[in-house]
Amino acid sequence: MKTNLLSAPFQEEVKKTVSLAIPIIVAQLGSILMGVTDNIMVGHYLGKIGLGVAGIANSIAFVISSIGIGGLAVVAPLISKAKAERNIPEINRLFRAGLWVAFWFGLILGALGFLCIFFFDVFQQSAEINAKSPSFMGIIIISNVFTFLFLASKQLSDGLSRTYVAMIITILGLLFNFVFNAILIKGYLGFPALGLNGAAISTLCTKILMLAGILIYLFRAKTFKKYLSRRYNPLPVGDLIKHIFKIGVPSGLQFFFEIAAFSLAVIMMGWLGENQLAAHQIAINVASTTYMMASGLGVAGGIRVGEGRGLRNIQKIRMSGNVALIIVGAFMTLMMILMIMLKRFLIGLYISDVEVIEIAVRLMLIAAVFQLSDGIQVVALGILRGISDVNIPTWITMFAYWVVALPLGYFLGFPLKQDAVGIWIGLWAGLSMSAVLLTTRFYYLVNKMKKSEQFSVETAGA
């Protein structure tokens, strides 16, 4: 990876990547804060049962929706590629095809979600949680349809390097969700007190408003008018719907494998005891925040690589990949240092229980170490998505999390009696394996493009 860090092209690429990434990061943090707000308000107003219902229902719904969330992320790099090619009709077709894909993701994954509701007893929760969760989860699953449509819409603005659009709407959505929660849970301003379901309806209303907001902006702003002209409506989109599904489903499975693996790690922590589970939740909550920041860089890197792909410029593809990896490496190294230095302070924000703190301190040290691996692997996935390479990375993530991370974590945690630390060492090993293999894959494909007589990235995902 030869890169002159002082060269003007490198510094220009850094500026463009960072300017793209910051709004994406803010929007993703806004989405996290929306969930945090829900949990705080439900816990405050309705107590531990309400918090338990919201926690498990949201977790199950999120694991299911992760396939759609990851799958739709492939559209922005395709739009960035079409923009570099100055192919305005293709951008219009990609936008419309993305909306159709989002609709079908909503129906298919929604049906899977309602199947989970029908067999909710399999999750072995208490009788009260079993009774209250289905209606709450049903509303959340319906809201996911609007989430997918919003994500599909934001692919247009993100792919055209207008990432601030989704950021502003997400921040407004966060504020609306807070207000709707207060009104609907407790029944203020003449509204009926809907309790737990009020929080779910608040989420549904917020998602509908966010979708309406971004669509109104896209169709009214001058920046996007030429891409959304009605004269392109007769152009068919069936081929692009198939193509987005073809590369989107593997991309979604990459996200699913990681999310599901960490969800199973939570279950294993529960086998060890309440203290270990609480310590795990604290450490993973801190690590998840930095992960979302790194994933924003991954999205930005994918958009920049997609532009290089559209320009058929191997040097630009390599440069964009280099910059994204270097930035995330520097950022996550800083996060690692801060987590080591501030570990007791951060843990103290969550809990004062001495036993939990001592376990969490050990886990926080491992979380700090795997920051670098976690950041590199999520950015590597992003830049590979930029060249539409999704099939091999999907197998890599499945191998890293389900063949390395979980079995090793179980073996260290239980047979070798390393407890919670053993499970986290397994997670670190899986993340490191993923980081090494995915980064190697990217540079292998770039070198393959360079050596080929005719530059073609269409074969990269084979």
Side-chain angles (χ1 to χ4, degrees):
M1 186 170 69
K2 298 178 180 179
T3 299
N4 183 357
L5 303 184
L6 299 178
S7 69
F10 176 83
Q11 293 180 15
E12 181 66 20
E13 184 64 31
V14 169
K15 290 178 182 178
K16 289 182 178 180
T17 301
V18 171
S19 65
L20 274 177
I22 288 176
I24 296 172
I25 291 169
V26 173
Q28 291 182 331
L29 289 176
S31 297
I32 291 177
L33 287 175
M34 202 175 293
V36 171
T37 301
D38 283 347
N39 286 334
I40 290 174
M41 297 184 76
V42 166
H44 178 72
Y45 287 133
L46 303 174
K48 64 180 181 180
I49 296 298
L51 192 58
V53 170
I56 189 166
N58 278 317
S59 294
I60 296 168
F62 181 68
V63 170
I64 294 170
S65 69
S66 64
I67 297 174
I69 294 170
L72 289 166
V74 304
V75 180
L78 293 175
I79 289 176
S80 179
K81 171 181 176 289
K83 177 191 173 187
E85 295 170 340
R86 299 183 180 181
N87 192 340
I88 294 176
E90 185 74 356
I91 293 174
N92 177 277
R93 293 204 312 133
L94 282 166
F95 173 70
R96 290 187 289 123
L99 290 175
W100 276 110
V101 171
F103 174 76
W104 283 110
F105 267 136
L107 286 185
I108 296 168
L109 297 177
L112 182 58
F114 278 105
L115 190 65
C116 289
I117 291 175
F118 188 77
F119 294 103
F120 197 84
D121 289 348
V122 76
F123 298 109
Q124 298 181 357
Q125 300 300 301
S126 68
E128 194 169 359
I129 288 181
N130 279 343
K132 293 182 176 181
S133 292
S135 60
F136 181 93
M137 185 172 165
I139 299 169
I140 295 298
I141 288 170
I142 293 171
S143 75
N144 280 342
V145 177
F146 297 95
T147 298
F148 294 147
L149 290 169
F150 172 79
L151 291 174
S153 300
K154 81 184 277 288
Q155 299 305 303
L156 176 64
S157 53
D158 285 356
L160 296 175
S161 300
R162 301 294 192 273
T163 52
Y164 61 85
V165 176
M167 177 191 74
I168 293 171
I169 292 173
T170 301
I171 292 172
L172 291 174
L174 178 62
L175 297 175
F176 279 123
N177 189 55
F178 176 81
V179 174
F180 290 158
N181 269 339
I183 292 173
L184 296 177
I185 293 174
K186 296 298 290 183
Y188 296 129
L189 302 178
F191 285 86
L194 300 176
L196 187 61
N197 285 343
I201 294 172
S202 171
T203 298
L204 174 60
C205 292
T206 301
K207 298 297 184 181
I208 292 173
L209 283 177
M210 288 174 64
L211 173 61
I214 196 167
L215 288 176
I216 290 170
Y217 185 89
L218 291 176
F219 280 95
R220 290 178 68 93
K222 291 182 180 180
T223 305
F224 303 100
K225 277 191 175 181
K226 65 179 179 180
Y227 303 107
L228 300 175
S229 173
R230 291 182 179 179
R231 70 175 181 269
Y232 299 125
N233 288 350
L235 297 176
V237 295
D239 59 324
L240 286 180
I241 291 173
K242 292 178 182 177
H243 181 62
I244 292 171
F245 268 121
K246 182 179 178 181
I247 63 176
V249 171
S251 178
L253 288 173
Q254 296 164 8
F255 192 32
F256 170 80
F257 287 141
E258 182 174 1
I259 296 298
F262 276 84
S263 296
L264 284 177
V266 173
I267 294 173
M268 287 196 286
M269 286 293 176
W271 296 342
L272 292 170
E274 294 179 355
N275 289 337
Q276 289 89 338
L277 182 59
H280 173 84
Q281 290 296 88
I282 293 169
I284 203 67
N285 194 250
V286 175
S288 295
T289 303
T290 58
Y291 168 83
M292 292 307 292
M293 295 180 187
S295 70
L297 283 166
V299 174
I303 292 170
R304 296 297 298 160
V305 166
E307 183 176 325
R309 181 187 177 206
L311 294 171
R312 305 178 71 81
N313 187 330
I314 299 173
Q315 291 304 115
K316 176 168 174 47
I317 291 174
R318 183 189 291 273
M319 173 71 78
S320 297
N322 287 349
V323 166
L325 289 169
I326 290 171
I327 292 174
V328 82
F331 174 76
M332 293 305 254
T333 298
L334 176 62
M335 292 301 102
M336 176 178 66
I337 294 170
L338 289 176
M339 286 176 67
I340 292 173
M341 292 175 61
L342 302 175
K343 57 184 180 295
R344 288 192 176 272
F345 169 76
L346 293 171
I347 295 166
L349 296 176
Y350 290 85
I351 203 165
S352 58
D353 187 292
V354 176
E355 292 183 6
V356 173
I357 288 174
E358 289 310 309
I359 298 171
V361 165
R362 295 196 294 272
L363 298 187
M364 193 72 84
L365 287 172
I366 302 173
V369 171
F370 79 39
Q371 289 297 292
L372 190 59
S373 298
D374 201 13
I376 289 175
Q377 65 90 24
V378 74
V379 166
L381 280 172
I383 58 180
L384 284 168
R385 200 177 288 129
I387 53 176
S388 292
D389 183 60
V390 293
N391 293 328
I392 298 299
T394 300
W395 288 106
I396 288 173
T397 54
M398 186 181 73
F399 172 76
Y401 299 122
W402 292 77
V403 178
V404 177
L406 288 175
L408 179 60
Y410 179 84
F411 180 70
L412 293 174
F414 294 93
L416 293 188
K417 301 186 184 304
Q418 296 300 305
D419 208 74
V421 170
I423 295 175
W424 271 65
I425 290 174
L427 294 174
W428 168 78
L431 288 168
S432 299
M433 179 68 70
S434 179
V436 170
L437 293 179
L438 291 171
T439 306
T440 301
R441 172 73 178 169
F442 175 75
Y443 288 108
Y444 164 76
L445 290 177
V446 172
N447 289 332
K448 185 178 178 181
M449 294 174 200
K450 187 175 181 179
K451 291 177 182 178
S452 63
E453 293 182 4
Q454 184 178 3
F455 174 52
S456 174
V457 292
E458 297 299 333
T459 60

